[in-house]
Amino acid sequence: MGYKTKEWRSEMRVTVDFNYMMSESLGKNGIKKSELNSLKDKAEDAFNYVALNRGKDDLYMGWTELPYNQDAIVADILATAKEVRKKFKYFVVLGIGGSALGPIMAFNALKHLHYNELPQKDRGGPKFYVEDNVDPVRMQALLDVIEPEKTCFNVISKSGATSETMTQYLIIADILKKKGVNLPDNIIFTTDASRGNLIKIDNAFGGKFKKFVLPDGVGGRFSELCPVGLLPAAVLGIDIKGMLAGAAYMDSLCSRPSVYKNPALACAALQYITMTQGKNINVLMPYSDNLKLIADWYCQLWAESLGKAVDFKGKVVNAGTTPVKSLGVTDQHSQVQLYIEGPFDKVITFISVEKYGCEMKIPHGCEDIPDVGFLGGHTMQELIQAENKATAYALMRAGRMNYTINMPEINAFTLGQLLFMLELQTAYTGALLNIDTYNQPGVENGKKATFALLGKKGYESQKAEMDTAPELDDKYIV
Ligand code: PA5
């Protein structure tokens, strides 16, 4: 691996500390080492399932190879991003779900928290927005702050059939046309190589749109490390080679089938054991505002991948646990009371940061008020880290399972590691549960019902069925 030095990479290694999951810390509330050891064969099977099927497009496992097979694509992305940065004042992603959560998360993780408010000379790139809803108020708000003719729109949709994304596209295309803009000058498509509606639109324009491929074997929620995430990141000046190198590094750290050697397999095994104990809530609590939106991205990855009605044998399993987003320290003042004293139904995963992006001294003052005076002379980093440790400790003392993902610092390389680890963890957990991690039949049903309600051709019978559903009874409306 040619990214920086071996020493640097090992200093930047992301690790998992699961002491507070185990009975040595938690007594009867913890997992016994023998219990973890007895999962050895099953964990090895899950590891082998993922290892043997790596890169298989028909199984939607193309994501495992993204750290390795994109040299030409990365070069194209970097060249395109350079042009976009020169030419445009704004960059807007139109997409939803797997086509949006990754770009938003990476933006939040690796750019200034008030990036859009910075002067252009400090930003260095265009203002950045991701529209992942069809709330008209939000769309109008976007239109109020951008100049469409000075905006590059990146429409990200594998199918080109997602109502939300295509609604946004229709609105933007109409505005651009009315302003006399040639659509391919201001719009980039990230989509399937040859199928889908964006390809049809491109064909109608004689193939003039700049296009990036969302590879066949990569599903939306596993797509951050392909052009879906890499193009927006590159436009923002993020080190995308570093992200991919971080993913490859984590892949190498997860190359053994042992829960004591492979951090993603360890997390999957812990989550699986706690699922079998009926712990149905999986909280992700980063102690960093930059990592706040990792929790949104992870919620989709976990929920859509593992929330499944049946297993591979067709047996009804209603698998999955409910992912919950939480932010340290903010949510210590809203959720942690419940985590410490409420039902024993949760596993808390902390993400801790060893070195924050900047340091902030707490000045001395109010020395005569002990509640305040003791803070002076410390730093904010010390405070946030102390609160993180203290919360993990308090949970442990209350017999509550928690483990910590440690990030030496937040940079492209460590973010790449974290993403790949969470993806592998999800894949291993799906394999442990013997379910299809990569489909989403539940979401498809909702999409079809929306088509029916809006009168889309081909959905007449579903519309008729919805129209004849039992009348809603007034007595249940208060
Ligand atoms: O993870 C997924 O597959 C979904 O969240 C999709 O990304 C989302 O539905 C958007 O689909 P598309 O890219 O086809 O517009």
Side-chain angles (χ1 to χ4, degrees):
M1 183 191 296
Y3 189 77
K4 304 223 177 172
T5 62
K6 197 173 168 203
E7 291 70 33
W8 185 88
R9 292 196 300 267
S10 109
E11 267 171 44
M12 289 298 137
R13 176 173 173 171
V14 171
T15 56
V16 175
D17 178 343
F18 60 93
N19 274 290
Y20 289 173
M21 295 293 288
M22 304 301 291
S23 59
E24 284 96 323
S25 305
L26 291 175
K28 68 174 174 37
N29 293 309
I31 299 170
K32 291 197 197 83
K33 195 164 182 217
S34 57
E35 231 174 314
L36 192 55
N37 290 344
S38 69
L39 201 72
K40 185 174 175 282
D41 290 349
K42 221 169 150 47
E44 261 182 43
D45 286 351
F47 174 88
N48 288 333
Y49 176 83
V50 174
L52 291 172
N53 291 308
R54 286 183 71 103
K56 287 194 181 159
D57 286 350
D58 52 339
L59 295 179
Y60 274 93
M61 287 189 60
W63 60 272
T64 58
E65 305 315 295
L66 294 174
Y68 312 106
N69 62 9
Q70 296 191 97
D71 285 355
I73 296 162
V74 166
D76 189 7
I77 287 174
L78 289 174
T80 306
K82 198 169 165 197
E83 285 306 301
V84 169
R85 283 166 71 85
K86 250 195 271 165
K87 202 169 146 201
F88 292 101
K89 219 170 144 182
Y90 312 89
F91 187 84
V92 176
V93 170
L94 307 180
I96 197 162
S99 297
L101 290 163
I104 308 172
M105 170 274 297
F107 169 55
N108 187 68
L110 298 175
K111 298 308 291 184
H112 191 287
L113 288 170
H114 296 289
Y115 172 87
N116 281 344
E117 283 93 72
L118 290 175
Q120 160 64 27
K121 68 173 177 34
D122 297 331
R123 256 190 289 119
K127 289 193 179 185
F128 184 81
Y129 302 92
V130 181
E131 290 303 293
D132 66 342
N133 203 348
V134 282
D135 180 336
V137 176
R138 175 156 163 198
M139 193 73 189
Q140 185 57 56
L142 174 77
L143 296 173
D144 289 343
V145 297
I146 63 167
E147 298 155 274
E149 62 282 20
K150 294 182 185 165
T151 303
C152 177
F153 295 93
N154 183 197
V155 185
I156 307 180
S157 178
K158 193 179 185 94
S159 60
T162 305
S163 302
E164 297 86 349
T165 308
M166 296 316 287
T167 296
Q168 295 166 349
Y169 169 78
L170 288 171
I171 292 169
I172 295 301
D174 184 56
I175 292 171
L176 290 176
K177 275 189 227 153
K178 285 180 177 149
K179 288 185 179 290
V181 174
N182 178 31
L183 298 189
D185 291 344
N186 284 50
I187 297 179
I188 298 175
F189 290 154
T190 304
T191 191
D192 192 85
S194 57
R195 289 171 305 210
N197 296 320
L198 295 181
I199 296 297
K200 287 187 195 154
I201 296 171
D202 182 46
N203 288 341
F205 278 79
K208 292 271 167 52
F209 282 94
K210 175 70 189 164
K211 292 176 294 302
F212 285 97
V213 173
L214 209 170
D216 245 357
V218 178
R221 54 192 175 272
F222 286 84
S223 69
E224 171 55 15
L225 295 172
C226 82
V228 168
L230 297 181
L231 175 65
V235 167
L236 287 162
I238 289 170
D239 173 14
I240 60 172
K241 289 185 181 168
M243 283 173 75
L244 293 170
Y249 185 60
M250 179 52 70
D251 197 19
S252 71
L253 298 175
C254 295
S255 58
R256 286 177 284 180
S258 158
V259 294
Y260 300 105
K261 300 269 182 328
N262 176 335
L265 192 59
C267 297
L270 297 169
Q271 294 287 351
Y272 177 77
I273 291 173
T274 56
M275 272 180 209
T276 59
Q277 297 173 346
K279 291 192 168 42
N280 287 324
I281 298 175
N282 166 7
V283 179
L284 187 64
M285 190 166 187
Y287 269 72
S288 154
D289 272 273
N290 282 113
L291 297 179
K292 181 178 178 179
L293 301 183
I294 275 276
D296 288 65
W297 174 84
Y298 173 74
C299 278
Q300 187 213 11
L301 179 70
W302 189 259
E304 224 169 52
S305 299
L306 304 182
K308 298 292 153 68
V310 291
D311 68 8
F312 273 129
K313 289 187 180 144
K315 186 174 155 214
V316 175
V317 286
N318 297 119
T321 56
T322 303
V324 170
K325 334 174 214 181
S326 190
L327 176 68
V329 306
T330 309
D331 289 320
Q332 281 177 208
H333 296 264
S334 68
Q335 300 172 10
V336 166
Q337 168 64 29
L338 172 74
Y339 300 167
I340 292 189
E341 293 196 353
F344 282 79
D345 57 356
K346 298 170 202 67
V347 176
I348 324 286
T349 306
F350 294 109
I351 308 180
S352 302
V353 179
E354 279 162 35
K355 187 167 176 263
Y356 286 75
C358 71
E359 194 43 291
M360 184 81 56
K361 278 206 147 146
I362 308 174
H364 289 282
C366 302
E367 266 96 356
D368 48 340
I369 310 173
D371 286 346
V372 183
F374 80 98
L375 294 166
H378 290 289
T379 64
M380 287 184 89
Q381 173 167 310
E382 276 181 85
L383 180 59
I384 194 169
Q385 288 174 333
E387 294 201 37
N388 185 172
K389 275 203 182 78
T391 304
Y393 178 78
L395 281 162
M396 179 275 288
R397 295 290 292 178
R400 311 301 166 131
M401 289 180 171
N402 68 91
Y403 63 91
T404 297
I405 300 171
N406 277 306
M407 290 181 81
E409 62 182 47
I410 302 169
N411 58 40
F413 185 75
T414 56
L415 184 70
Q417 288 183 65
L418 179 64
L419 300 182
F420 206 77
M421 189 180 85
L422 293 172
E423 289 177 346
L424 271 176
Q425 172 197 325
T426 306
Y428 291 143
T429 310
L432 282 164
L433 291 165
N434 196 31
I435 56 166
D436 186 342
T437 306
Y438 303 100
N439 65 358
Q440 53 278 326
V443 181
E444 298 307 324
N445 290 340
K447 281 189 192 172
K448 285 179 192 151
T450 307
F451 295 156
L453 286 173
L454 290 183
K456 184 174 174 186
K457 208 160 169 258
Y459 292 84
E460 294 79 5
S461 60
Q462 178 135 13
K463 173 82 169 70
E465 186 192 311
M466 291 174 86
D467 285 347
T468 54
E471 281 289 308
L472 295 180
D473 195 322
D474 276 354
K475 74 171 177 284
Y476 298 128
I477 301 175
V478 290

PDB file of all heavy atoms in Angstrom, residues 57-83:
ATOM      1  N   ASP A  57     -20.872  -9.386  -8.224  1.00  0.00           N
ATOM      2  CA  ASP A  57     -21.903  -8.402  -8.571  1.00  0.00           C
ATOM      3  C   ASP A  57     -23.302  -8.946  -8.367  1.00  0.00           C
ATOM      4  O   ASP A  57     -24.197  -8.250  -7.916  1.00  0.00           O
ATOM      5  CB  ASP A  57     -21.742  -7.962 -10.036  1.00  0.00           C
ATOM      6  CG  ASP A  57     -20.554  -7.026 -10.203  1.00  0.00           C
ATOM      7  OD1 ASP A  57     -20.005  -6.584  -9.170  1.00  0.00           O
ATOM      8  OD2 ASP A  57     -20.163  -6.759 -11.353  1.00  0.00           O
ATOM      9  N   ASP A  58     -23.492 -10.254  -8.721  1.00  0.00           N
ATOM     10  CA  ASP A  58     -24.850 -10.810  -8.628  1.00  0.00           C
ATOM     11  C   ASP A  58     -25.324 -10.878  -7.178  1.00  0.00           C
ATOM     12  O   ASP A  58     -26.516 -10.916  -6.910  1.00  0.00           O
ATOM     13  CB  ASP A  58     -24.931 -12.188  -9.308  1.00  0.00           C
ATOM     14  CG  ASP A  58     -23.862 -13.137  -8.811  1.00  0.00           C
ATOM     15  OD1 ASP A  58     -22.841 -12.653  -8.276  1.00  0.00           O
ATOM     16  OD2 ASP A  58     -24.047 -14.357  -8.940  1.00  0.00           O
ATOM     17  N   LEU A  59     -24.386 -10.859  -6.232  1.00  0.00           N
ATOM     18  CA  LEU A  59     -24.766 -10.866  -4.803  1.00  0.00           C
ATOM     19  C   LEU A  59     -24.697  -9.465  -4.191  1.00  0.00           C
ATOM     20  O   LEU A  59     -24.806  -9.296  -2.990  1.00  0.00           O
ATOM     21  CB  LEU A  59     -23.845 -11.807  -4.019  1.00  0.00           C
ATOM     22  CG  LEU A  59     -23.940 -13.285  -4.369  1.00  0.00           C
ATOM     23  CD1 LEU A  59     -22.951 -14.087  -3.517  1.00  0.00           C
ATOM     24  CD2 LEU A  59     -25.355 -13.812  -4.153  1.00  0.00           C
ATOM     25  N   TYR A  60     -24.458  -8.469  -5.026  1.00  0.00           N
ATOM     26  CA  TYR A  60     -24.323  -7.071  -4.555  1.00  0.00           C
ATOM     27  C   TYR A  60     -23.146  -6.913  -3.594  1.00  0.00           C
ATOM     28  O   TYR A  60     -23.199  -6.125  -2.651  1.00  0.00           O
ATOM     29  CB  TYR A  60     -25.633  -6.569  -3.915  1.00  0.00           C
ATOM     30  CG  TYR A  60     -26.559  -6.007  -4.962  1.00  0.00           C
ATOM     31  CD1 TYR A  60     -27.517  -6.808  -5.570  1.00  0.00           C
ATOM     32  CD2 TYR A  60     -26.433  -4.692  -5.383  1.00  0.00           C
ATOM     33  CE1 TYR A  60     -28.335  -6.311  -6.568  1.00  0.00           C
ATOM     34  CE2 TYR A  60     -27.245  -4.175  -6.377  1.00  0.00           C
ATOM     35  CZ  TYR A  60     -28.194  -4.994  -6.964  1.00  0.00           C
ATOM     36  OH  TYR A  60     -28.987  -4.489  -7.949  1.00  0.00           O
ATOM     37  N   MET A  61     -22.080  -7.669  -3.871  1.00  0.00           N
ATOM     38  CA  MET A  61     -20.905  -7.554  -3.005  1.00  0.00           C
ATOM     39  C   MET A  61     -19.728  -6.899  -3.711  1.00  0.00           C
ATOM     40  O   MET A  61     -18.569  -7.058  -3.318  1.00  0.00           O
ATOM     41  CB  MET A  61     -20.548  -8.915  -2.412  1.00  0.00           C
ATOM     42  CG  MET A  61     -21.581  -9.264  -1.339  1.00  0.00           C
ATOM     43  SD  MET A  61     -21.194 -10.686  -0.360  1.00  0.00           S
ATOM     44  CE  MET A  61     -19.654 -10.202   0.365  1.00  0.00           C
ATOM     45  N   GLY A  62     -20.057  -6.115  -4.737  1.00  0.00           N
ATOM     46  CA  GLY A  62     -19.009  -5.376  -5.449  1.00  0.00           C
ATOM     47  C   GLY A  62     -18.327  -4.342  -4.559  1.00  0.00           C
ATOM     48  O   GLY A  62     -17.189  -3.937  -4.827  1.00  0.00           O
ATOM     49  N   TRP A  63     -18.992  -3.917  -3.485  1.00  0.00           N
ATOM     50  CA  TRP A  63     -18.428  -2.878  -2.611  1.00  0.00           C
ATOM     51  C   TRP A  63     -17.105  -3.290  -1.976  1.00  0.00           C
ATOM     52  O   TRP A  63     -16.268  -2.441  -1.669  1.00  0.00           O
ATOM     53  CB  TRP A  63     -19.430  -2.495  -1.505  1.00  0.00           C
ATOM     54  CG  TRP A  63     -19.815  -3.636  -0.606  1.00  0.00           C
ATOM     55  CD1 TRP A  63     -20.837  -4.521  -0.803  1.00  0.00           C
ATOM     56  CD2 TRP A  63     -19.166  -4.029   0.613  1.00  0.00           C
ATOM     57  NE1 TRP A  63     -20.872  -5.441   0.215  1.00  0.00           N
ATOM     58  CE2 TRP A  63     -19.864  -5.156   1.096  1.00  0.00           C
ATOM     59  CE3 TRP A  63     -18.078  -3.547   1.350  1.00  0.00           C
ATOM     60  CZ2 TRP A  63     -19.510  -5.811   2.279  1.00  0.00           C
ATOM     61  CZ3 TRP A  63     -17.721  -4.194   2.519  1.00  0.00           C
ATOM     62  CH2 TRP A  63     -18.427  -5.309   2.973  1.00  0.00           C
ATOM     63  N   THR A  64     -16.887  -4.606  -1.817  1.00  0.00           N
ATOM     64  CA  THR A  64     -15.644  -5.039  -1.157  1.00  0.00           C
ATOM     65  C   THR A  64     -14.412  -4.684  -1.982  1.00  0.00           C
ATOM     66  O   THR A  64     -13.314  -4.582  -1.451  1.00  0.00           O
ATOM     67  CB  THR A  64     -15.637  -6.563  -0.915  1.00  0.00           C
ATOM     68  OG1 THR A  64     -15.793  -7.213  -2.190  1.00  0.00           O
ATOM     69  CG2 THR A  64     -16.758  -7.005   0.022  1.00  0.00           C
ATOM     70  N   GLU A  65     -14.607  -4.520  -3.301  1.00  0.00           N
ATOM     71  CA  GLU A  65     -13.447  -4.285  -4.173  1.00  0.00           C
ATOM     72  C   GLU A  65     -13.213  -2.811  -4.477  1.00  0.00           C
ATOM     73  O   GLU A  65     -12.233  -2.451  -5.129  1.00  0.00           O
ATOM     74  CB  GLU A  65     -13.593  -5.089  -5.480  1.00  0.00           C
ATOM     75  CG  GLU A  65     -13.798  -6.580  -5.252  1.00  0.00           C
ATOM     76  CD  GLU A  65     -12.833  -7.148  -4.206  1.00  0.00           C
ATOM     77  OE1 GLU A  65     -11.618  -7.147  -4.458  1.00  0.00           O
ATOM     78  OE2 GLU A  65     -13.307  -7.595  -3.126  1.00  0.00           O
ATOM     79  N   LEU A  66     -14.094  -1.949  -3.996  1.00  0.00           N
ATOM     80  CA  LEU A  66     -13.962  -0.520  -4.333  1.00  0.00           C
ATOM     81  C   LEU A  66     -12.615   0.090  -3.919  1.00  0.00           C
ATOM     82  O   LEU A  66     -12.118   0.983  -4.609  1.00  0.00           O
ATOM     83  CB  LEU A  66     -15.124   0.275  -3.723  1.00  0.00           C
ATOM     84  CG  LEU A  66     -16.519  -0.051  -4.300  1.00  0.00           C
ATOM     85  CD1 LEU A  66     -17.613   0.689  -3.530  1.00  0.00           C
ATOM     86  CD2 LEU A  66     -16.588   0.294  -5.785  1.00  0.00           C
ATOM     87  N   PRO A  67     -12.013  -0.361  -2.816  1.00  0.00           N
ATOM     88  CA  PRO A  67     -10.715   0.246  -2.484  1.00  0.00           C
ATOM     89  C   PRO A  67      -9.616  -0.080  -3.490  1.00  0.00           C
ATOM     90  O   PRO A  67      -8.551   0.526  -3.466  1.00  0.00           O
ATOM     91  CB  PRO A  67     -10.372  -0.381  -1.116  1.00  0.00           C
ATOM     92  CG  PRO A  67     -11.661  -0.878  -0.568  1.00  0.00           C
ATOM     93  CD  PRO A  67     -12.497  -1.263  -1.754  1.00  0.00           C
ATOM     94  N   TYR A  68      -9.878  -1.072  -4.373  1.00  0.00           N
ATOM     95  CA  TYR A  68      -8.791  -1.564  -5.225  1.00  0.00           C
ATOM     96  C   TYR A  68      -8.976  -1.341  -6.726  1.00  0.00           C
ATOM     97  O   TYR A  68      -8.003  -1.394  -7.466  1.00  0.00           O
ATOM     98  CB  TYR A  68      -8.608  -3.080  -5.005  1.00  0.00           C
ATOM     99  CG  TYR A  68      -8.543  -3.443  -3.541  1.00  0.00           C
ATOM    100  CD1 TYR A  68      -9.611  -4.067  -2.910  1.00  0.00           C
ATOM    101  CD2 TYR A  68      -7.420  -3.114  -2.789  1.00  0.00           C
ATOM    102  CE1 TYR A  68      -9.561  -4.381  -1.553  1.00  0.00           C
ATOM    103  CE2 TYR A  68      -7.363  -3.418  -1.429  1.00  0.00           C
ATOM    104  CZ  TYR A  68      -8.442  -4.044  -0.826  1.00  0.00           C
ATOM    105  OH  TYR A  68      -8.388  -4.331   0.512  1.00  0.00           O
ATOM    106  N   ASN A  69     -10.224  -1.171  -7.176  1.00  0.00           N
ATOM    107  CA  ASN A  69     -10.418  -1.263  -8.633  1.00  0.00           C
ATOM    108  C   ASN A  69     -10.849   0.048  -9.286  1.00  0.00           C
ATOM    109  O   ASN A  69     -11.517   0.032 -10.312  1.00  0.00           O
ATOM    110  CB  ASN A  69     -11.425  -2.389  -8.957  1.00  0.00           C
ATOM    111  CG  ASN A  69     -12.806  -2.121  -8.351  1.00  0.00           C
ATOM    112  OD1 ASN A  69     -13.045  -1.031  -7.838  1.00  0.00           O
ATOM    113  ND2 ASN A  69     -13.705  -3.086  -8.412  1.00  0.00           N
ATOM    114  N   GLN A  70     -10.436   1.183  -8.703  1.00  0.00           N
ATOM    115  CA  GLN A  70     -10.994   2.433  -9.240  1.00  0.00           C
ATOM    116  C   GLN A  70      -9.938   3.452  -9.692  1.00  0.00           C
ATOM    117  O   GLN A  70     -10.237   4.648  -9.746  1.00  0.00           O
ATOM    118  CB  GLN A  70     -11.884   3.089  -8.179  1.00  0.00           C
ATOM    119  CG  GLN A  70     -13.123   2.274  -7.801  1.00  0.00           C
ATOM    120  CD  GLN A  70     -14.089   3.093  -6.964  1.00  0.00           C
ATOM    121  OE1 GLN A  70     -15.047   3.644  -7.485  1.00  0.00           O
ATOM    122  NE2 GLN A  70     -13.824   3.186  -5.677  1.00  0.00           N
ATOM    123  N   ASP A  71      -8.744   3.004 -10.028  1.00  0.00           N
ATOM    124  CA  ASP A  71      -7.688   3.975 -10.373  1.00  0.00           C
ATOM    125  C   ASP A  71      -8.112   4.940 -11.480  1.00  0.00           C
ATOM    126  O   ASP A  71      -7.992   6.159 -11.341  1.00  0.00           O
ATOM    127  CB  ASP A  71      -6.401   3.250 -10.795  1.00  0.00           C
ATOM    128  CG  ASP A  71      -5.687   2.658  -9.586  1.00  0.00           C
ATOM    129  OD1 ASP A  71      -6.165   2.914  -8.449  1.00  0.00           O
ATOM    130  OD2 ASP A  71      -4.698   1.941  -9.773  1.00  0.00           O
ATOM    131  N   ALA A  72      -8.647   4.375 -12.583  1.00  0.00           N
ATOM    132  CA  ALA A  72      -9.029   5.233 -13.720  1.00  0.00           C
ATOM    133  C   ALA A  72     -10.210   6.121 -13.323  1.00  0.00           C
ATOM    134  O   ALA A  72     -10.272   7.307 -13.686  1.00  0.00           O
ATOM    135  CB  ALA A  72      -9.395   4.365 -14.923  1.00  0.00           C
ATOM    136  N   ILE A  73     -11.119   5.560 -12.540  1.00  0.00           N
ATOM    137  CA  ILE A  73     -12.307   6.330 -12.130  1.00  0.00           C
ATOM    138  C   ILE A  73     -11.887   7.490 -11.223  1.00  0.00           C
ATOM    139  O   ILE A  73     -12.359   8.619 -11.372  1.00  0.00           O
ATOM    140  CB  ILE A  73     -13.304   5.391 -11.398  1.00  0.00           C
ATOM    141  CG1 ILE A  73     -13.806   4.332 -12.371  1.00  0.00           C
ATOM    142  CG2 ILE A  73     -14.469   6.158 -10.800  1.00  0.00           C
ATOM    143  CD1 ILE A  73     -14.431   3.119 -11.731  1.00  0.00           C
ATOM    144  N   VAL A  74     -10.975   7.212 -10.304  1.00  0.00           N
ATOM    145  CA  VAL A  74     -10.501   8.263  -9.399  1.00  0.00           C
ATOM    146  C   VAL A  74      -9.832   9.382 -10.198  1.00  0.00           C
ATOM    147  O   VAL A  74     -10.054  10.571  -9.930  1.00  0.00           O
ATOM    148  CB  VAL A  74      -9.551   7.674  -8.328  1.00  0.00           C
ATOM    149  CG1 VAL A  74      -8.778   8.762  -7.606  1.00  0.00           C
ATOM    150  CG2 VAL A  74     -10.355   6.849  -7.320  1.00  0.00           C
ATOM    151  N   ALA A  75      -9.066   9.014 -11.201  1.00  0.00           N
ATOM    152  CA  ALA A  75      -8.406  10.041 -12.033  1.00  0.00           C
ATOM    153  C   ALA A  75      -9.459  10.904 -12.730  1.00  0.00           C
ATOM    154  O   ALA A  75      -9.357  12.145 -12.756  1.00  0.00           O
ATOM    155  CB  ALA A  75      -7.486   9.369 -13.056  1.00  0.00           C
ATOM    156  N   ASP A  76     -10.488  10.271 -13.251  1.00  0.00           N
ATOM    157  CA  ASP A  76     -11.570  10.996 -13.933  1.00  0.00           C
ATOM    158  C   ASP A  76     -12.305  11.897 -12.926  1.00  0.00           C
ATOM    159  O   ASP A  76     -12.608  13.067 -13.213  1.00  0.00           O
ATOM    160  CB  ASP A  76     -12.527   9.959 -14.561  1.00  0.00           C
ATOM    161  CG  ASP A  76     -13.557  10.597 -15.476  1.00  0.00           C
ATOM    162  OD1 ASP A  76     -13.457  11.813 -15.734  1.00  0.00           O
ATOM    163  OD2 ASP A  76     -14.483   9.877 -15.919  1.00  0.00           O
ATOM    164  N   ILE A  77     -12.568  11.359 -11.749  1.00  0.00           N
ATOM    165  CA  ILE A  77     -13.266  12.144 -10.711  1.00  0.00           C
ATOM    166  C   ILE A  77     -12.430  13.379 -10.339  1.00  0.00           C
ATOM    167  O   ILE A  77     -12.962  14.500 -10.236  1.00  0.00           O
ATOM    168  CB  ILE A  77     -13.538  11.266  -9.459  1.00  0.00           C
ATOM    169  CG1 ILE A  77     -14.658  10.268  -9.754  1.00  0.00           C
ATOM    170  CG2 ILE A  77     -13.881  12.122  -8.238  1.00  0.00           C
ATOM    171  CD1 ILE A  77     -14.917   9.262  -8.650  1.00  0.00           C
ATOM    172  N   LEU A  78     -11.131  13.186 -10.150  1.00  0.00           N
ATOM    173  CA  LEU A  78     -10.285  14.314  -9.730  1.00  0.00           C
ATOM    174  C   LEU A  78     -10.229  15.392 -10.815  1.00  0.00           C
ATOM    175  O   LEU A  78     -10.284  16.592 -10.518  1.00  0.00           O
ATOM    176  CB  LEU A  78      -8.883  13.825  -9.366  1.00  0.00           C
ATOM    177  CG  LEU A  78      -8.815  13.009  -8.056  1.00  0.00           C
ATOM    178  CD1 LEU A  78      -7.416  12.430  -7.853  1.00  0.00           C
ATOM    179  CD2 LEU A  78      -9.223  13.847  -6.839  1.00  0.00           C
ATOM    180  N   ALA A  79     -10.160  14.942 -12.084  1.00  0.00           N
ATOM    181  CA  ALA A  79     -10.116  15.917 -13.182  1.00  0.00           C
ATOM    182  C   ALA A  79     -11.447  16.666 -13.267  1.00  0.00           C
ATOM    183  O   ALA A  79     -11.473  17.903 -13.422  1.00  0.00           O
ATOM    184  CB  ALA A  79      -9.822  15.195 -14.507  1.00  0.00           C
ATOM    185  N   THR A  80     -12.542  15.943 -13.123  1.00  0.00           N
ATOM    186  CA  THR A  80     -13.870  16.582 -13.189  1.00  0.00           C
ATOM    187  C   THR A  80     -14.043  17.548 -12.017  1.00  0.00           C
ATOM    188  O   THR A  80     -14.529  18.678 -12.180  1.00  0.00           O
ATOM    189  CB  THR A  80     -14.982  15.500 -13.149  1.00  0.00           C
ATOM    190  OG1 THR A  80     -14.720  14.564 -14.185  1.00  0.00           O
ATOM    191  CG2 THR A  80     -16.364  16.105 -13.328  1.00  0.00           C
ATOM    192  N   ALA A  81     -13.639  17.098 -10.838  1.00  0.00           N
ATOM    193  CA  ALA A  81     -13.792  17.940  -9.630  1.00  0.00           C
ATOM    194  C   ALA A  81     -13.009  19.237  -9.787  1.00  0.00           C
ATOM    195  O   ALA A  81     -13.469  20.314  -9.385  1.00  0.00           O
ATOM    196  CB  ALA A  81     -13.325  17.169  -8.403  1.00  0.00           C
ATOM    197  N   LYS A  82     -11.830  19.144 -10.398  1.00  0.00           N
ATOM    198  CA  LYS A  82     -11.005  20.343 -10.607  1.00  0.00           C
ATOM    199  C   LYS A  82     -11.755  21.362 -11.462  1.00  0.00           C
ATOM    200  O   LYS A  82     -11.808  22.558 -11.146  1.00  0.00           O
ATOM    201  CB  LYS A  82      -9.694  19.915 -11.295  1.00  0.00           C
ATOM    202  CG  LYS A  82      -8.600  20.909 -11.200  1.00  0.00           C
ATOM    203  CD  LYS A  82      -7.298  20.293 -11.673  1.00  0.00           C
ATOM    204  CE  LYS A  82      -6.286  21.398 -11.910  1.00  0.00           C
ATOM    205  NZ  LYS A  82      -5.164  20.965 -12.712  1.00  0.00           N
ATOM    206  N   GLU A  83     -12.368  20.872 -12.531  1.00  0.00           N
ATOM    207  CA  GLU A  83     -13.156  21.758 -13.415  1.00  0.00           C
ATOM    208  C   GLU A  83     -14.343  22.360 -12.662  1.00  0.00           C
ATOM    209  O   GLU A  83     -14.614  23.549 -12.773  1.00  0.00           O
ATOM    210  CB  GLU A  83     -13.686  20.958 -14.621  1.00  0.00           C
ATOM    211  CG  GLU A  83     -12.644  20.639 -15.664  1.00  0.00           C
ATOM    212  CD  GLU A  83     -11.924  21.899 -16.145  1.00  0.00           C
ATOM    213  OE1 GLU A  83     -12.595  22.802 -16.653  1.00  0.00           O
ATOM    214  OE2 GLU A  83     -10.683  21.984 -15.981  1.00  0.00           O
TER     215      GLU A  83
END
